[in-house]
Amino acid sequence: MLKSERYPHLKVTDPEVYDLIYRQAAYEGSTLKMIASENYASFSVLEATGSSLTNKYCEGYPGARYYEGNAVCDEIENLAINRLKALFGAEHANVQPLSGSPANSAVYRAIMKPGEKVMGIPVDFGGHLTHGWKVNFSGKDYVQVPFGPSPETGVLDYDQIREIALRERPRMIWCGTTAYPRTIHYDRFAAIAEEVGAYLVADIAHISGLIAGGAHPNPTPYCDIVSSTTHKMMRGPRSGFILSKIEDRYQEKYYPTSKNNLAKRVDRAVFPTLQGGPHMNVIAGMAVAFGEAAQDSFKDYAHQVVKNARKLGEYLMEHGIRLASGGTDTHMLLLDLRDKEYTGKDAAEALARGGIIANFNTVPGDTRKPTVTSGVRMGTPGITSMGMKEDDMLKVGEWIVRILNALPNSETAENSVRKEIADFCTQFQIPGLDD
Ligand SMILES: *Cc1c(COP(=O)(O)O)cnc(C)c1O
């Protein structure tokens, strides 16, 4: 269980902040972390991230810094880069983006000009804000050509994607989502991008851990660029990275007079175009997480995440809850509540009061407002990091169904589930929380 002496200095010098951190940790330690984009980083990742490296300025890149005293930091950044390249089989890696969205901003800077067309999935169909959504810089500076999973089947239709691409001729295509429970077929996307002469960029923020663990196809061989976060399935610190090919296959077409190849343009987009000094403490935490992800135990973990999601999905469907796309191949379940009286928000709030923490989310073809939606998105990375297996999913499924079936008068069910979950959590060792 939680050790109150985890932060001995903070406890003495600032009991107010200490208490807040402790309360959040205690909350997370007695509830089920089922937000699909969250996970538990290990103590080792947390220690590196919380280390004295936070004090160092390292503007620039290894071997070419704008500050002195960076010999060791060069080694740290190179270690993170080399581990990352090996994990994904990438030609080039940049580990300086401060998170997923800054990584995606740099992608645009590296290969796009303002006003050009970018093919991406709109947010209400499961895309990310940075894929061209209207309120985001990407939708203001570039023109989104939308595509997405079919409202009927919840699945991507590659023939339709090809038709849109042939008609619109985008300069770039994003393949990657925040709410798609199925395998993404990068070979299909690659053929389409090739045919229309577009850059192909995979955003693997949600699934980079599945890919590193061999539980989802790797887009790296198929894509010009791959962007990601490190704090979701990857169990790293909050950060981002960009992988790319070294040479730009469209150099002649788009950058005929430039001396910079694709790798160089990616690096320059991150620094100095968008960012200043990198967070070397976080980069050290990333190196640790990449080291962990290369171990066999992480492969087992990634496959267990998928097995757990499948098992939980089967249980829910057997008990009258529809899933967008009819199931899952990944860490994610998207509950399709379009046929229910209650909204996604009603469901997510009731589940949270019962100790199951997820989020309401639109489903493809949603007719309810984005502030309430008809879906709940949940994932198994967090509870699998606790050590849960398929058998435990039957329990989790029973808790979910008990609360949802009781809506709108779910208070009694919530209270009983909340107690059972708090009790259940004491049986597990939570990474980064429990000794
Ligand atoms: C989470 C996510 C991002 C953004 O990451 P932040 O770290 O929240 O900026 C980008 N793309 C996808 C697909 C994501 O799931």
Side-chain angles (χ1 to χ4, degrees), residues 232-244:
K232 300 183 183 177
M233 257 289 294
M234 281 295 274
R235 292 205 292 218
R238 300 200 81 82
S239 195
F241 64 75
I242 302 174
L243 310 174
S244 81

Side-chain angles (χ1 to χ4, degrees), residues 147-158:
F147 72 98
S150 143
E152 288 79 38
T153 64
V155 179
L156 289 171
D157 174 346
Y158 293 89

Side-chain angles (χ1 to χ4, degrees), residues 398-418:
E398 194 269 319
W399 285 323
I400 293 169
V401 169
R402 202 194 305 168
I403 291 174
L404 295 187
N405 282 351
L407 279 168
N409 303 307
S410 51
E411 201 183 326
T412 312
E414 288 162 17
N415 290 337
S416 65
V417 169
R418 183 75 187 84

Side-chain angles (χ1 to χ4, degrees), residues 335 337 341-349 359-363 366-377:
L335 280 54
L337 308 172
E341 294 288 309
Y342 53 84
T343 66
K345 186 163 195 263
D346 296 334
E349 287 177 352
N359 66 280
F360 63 89
N361 209 102
T362 49
V363 294
D366 211 321
T367 50
R368 290 192 176 109
K369 289 203 208 87
T371 48
V372 294
T373 76
S374 300
V376 172
R377 188 187 69 165

Side-chain angles (χ1 to χ4, degrees), residues 45-104:
V45 166
L46 296 179
E47 283 174 13
T49 308
S51 69
S52 55
L53 289 165
T54 197
N55 300 327
K56 190 71 193 105
Y57 244 110
C58 321
E59 257 183 22
Y61 288 103
R65 305 283 188 190
Y66 292 83
Y67 291 79
E68 299 308 318
N70 270 311
V72 173
C73 291
D74 282 2
E75 287 189 48
I76 294 169
E77 187 165 349
N78 280 328
L79 185 64
I81 288 170
N82 290 331
R83 286 181 178 179
L84 177 60
K85 281 162 66 176
L87 265 186
F88 291 92
E91 292 178 14
H92 178 72
N94 187 307
V95 294
Q96 294 195 5
L98 301 176
S99 208
S101 302
N104 287 352

Side-chain angles (χ1 to χ4, degrees), residues 42-286:
S42 68
F43 280 121
S44 303
V45 166
L46 296 179
E47 283 174 13
T49 308
S51 69
S52 55
L53 289 165
T54 197
N55 300 327
K56 190 71 193 105
Y57 244 110
C58 321
E59 257 183 22
Y61 288 103
R65 305 283 188 190
Y66 292 83
Y67 291 79
E68 299 308 318
N70 270 311
V72 173
C73 291
D74 282 2
E75 287 189 48
I76 294 169
E77 187 165 349
N78 280 328
L79 185 64
I81 288 170
N82 290 331
R83 286 181 178 179
L84 177 60
K85 281 162 66 176
L87 265 186
F88 291 92
E91 292 178 14
H92 178 72
N94 187 307
V95 294
Q96 294 195 5
L98 301 176
S99 208
S101 302
N104 287 352
S105 323
V107 168
Y108 284 96
R109 291 288 183 160
I111 56 177
M112 293 283 285
K113 293 268 155 62
E116 287 177 326
K117 288 182 184 174
V118 53
M119 238 174 105
I121 304 178
V123 165
D124 51 355
F125 276 74
H128 191 258
L129 290 166
T130 54
H131 297 180
W133 194 236
K134 46 193 179 274
V135 300
N136 187 258
F137 81 92
S138 58
K140 297 182 194 291
D141 295 354
Y142 307 93
V143 179
Q144 189 192 51
V145 174
F147 72 98
S150 143
E152 288 79 38
T153 64
V155 179
L156 289 171
D157 174 346
Y158 293 89
D159 293 329
Q160 190 198 34
I161 296 170
R162 176 173 174 267
E163 272 170 38
I164 298 171
L166 281 169
R167 188 176 68 233
E168 300 284 348
R169 300 271 164 185
R171 175 144 161 175
M172 159 186 170
I173 301 172
W174 280 110
C175 49
T177 99
T178 64
Y180 188 61
R182 294 300 184 173
T183 301
I184 294 179
H185 297 288
Y186 299 112
D187 51 343
R188 302 287 309 268
F189 270 109
I192 295 166
E194 174 86 45
E195 191 177 355
V196 303
Y199 289 106
L200 184 63
V201 184
D203 179 348
I204 59 171
H206 261 265
I207 55 176
S208 51
L210 287 179
I211 295 164
H216 187 281
N218 180 5
T220 316
Y222 297 104
C223 293
D224 300 283
I225 299 182
V226 176
S227 72
S228 186
T229 61
T230 54
H231 48 279
K232 300 183 183 177
M233 257 289 294
M234 281 295 274
R235 292 205 292 218
R238 300 200 81 82
S239 195
F241 64 75
I242 302 174
L243 310 174
S244 81
K245 298 276 195 293
I246 292 173
E247 296 304 329
D248 182 351
R249 58 175 159 159
Y250 300 125
Q251 187 88 16
E252 277 302 304
K253 181 170 164 193
Y254 290 125
Y255 300 94
T257 59
S258 173
K259 297 186 301 294
N260 296 330
N261 59 23
L262 183 60
K264 182 85 180 165
R265 294 209 312 275
V266 166
D267 284 351
R268 289 191 61 82
V270 175
F271 170 86
T273 305
L274 291 166
Q275 294 183 185
H279 297 181
M280 200 49 70
N281 55 317
V282 178
I283 291 175
M286 291 164 80

